[in-house]
């Protein structure tokens, strides 16, 4: 099981960025993929998740209405679309999975144990 997050960079406040989480070694379409972030001097926080049934669930109120998830099955990739970025969104972003499949109720609520390397997002003018 491998996950690779990419797409980070420097963006101005109000801008947009799309992060990718490419999966390999497992049937990623079937499993929930979770996005976390860790800002400077802060603890890692769980943001949102897309289940194996392609239902998204938010865990961080501050990203609701601005961040969305979608999946490209052909590319085995989950995308995190981030709009209206703010300086407080500056963080290292990670994708992860606990291999909770679409046959598991509330799969997004379970823990994760496979992590990809993070990608840095910096929101600054």
């Amino acid at each position: 099981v491998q996950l690779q997050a990419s797409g980070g960079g420097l963006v101005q406040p109000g801008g947009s960025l799309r992060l990718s989480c490419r999966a390999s070694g497992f049937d990623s379409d079937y499993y929930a993929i979770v996005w976390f972030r860790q800002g400077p001097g802060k603890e890692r926080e769980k943001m949102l998740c897309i289940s194996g049934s392609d239902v998204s669930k938010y865990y961080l109120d501050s990203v609701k209405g601005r961040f969305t998830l979608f999946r490209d099955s052909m590319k085995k990739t989950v995308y995190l679309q981030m709009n209206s970025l703010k300086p407080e969104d500056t963080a290292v972003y990670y994708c992860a999975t606990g291999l909770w499949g679409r046959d598991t109720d509330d799969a997004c609520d379970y823990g994760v144990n496979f992590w990809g390397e993070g990608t840095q997002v910096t929101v600054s003018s």
Side-chain angles (χ1 to χ4, degrees):
V1 174
Q2 288 189 325
L3 296 167
Q4 180 62 53
S6 62
L10 174 64
V11 61
Q12 291 187 342
S16 297
L17 207 58
R18 180 178 294 178
L19 305 184
S20 302
C21 176
R22 181 170 175 80
S24 61
F26 68 108
D27 182 7
S28 59
D29 282 357
Y30 185 78
Y31 297 103
I33 302 294
V34 189
W35 283 86
F36 294 78
R37 71 183 183 186
Q38 186 167 17
K42 299 180 181 179
E43 293 188 355
R44 188 175 297 181
E45 53 188 1
K46 186 175 182 179
M47 295 194 301
L48 67 171
C49 168
I50 185 166
S51 73
S53 302
D54 284 347
V55 175
S56 292
K57 185 169 184 177
Y58 289 83
Y59 295 88
L60 200 58
D61 287 343
S62 63
V63 305
K64 287 182 181 178
R66 300 190 298 125
F67 291 11
T68 55
L69 287 177
F70 61 99
R71 193 191 297 266
D72 185 329
S73 299
M74 293 294 290
K75 296 182 179 180
K76 296 178 71 67
T77 299
V78 170
Y79 297 96
L80 172 61
Q81 178 67 42
M82 305 187 295
N83 299 326
S84 303
L85 283 162
K86 306 175 182 180
E88 50 264 41
D89 294 319
T90 295
V92 179
Y93 286 71
Y94 301 87
C95 57
T97 185
L99 295 181
W100 300 105
R102 63 173 72 109
D103 59 344
T104 300
D105 292 338
D106 301 318
C108 282
D109 292 341
Y110 286 73
V112 297
N113 51 2
F114 297 97
W115 294 84
E117 291 189 8
T119 184
Q120 175 71 47
V121 173
T122 301
V123 184
S124 175
S125 55

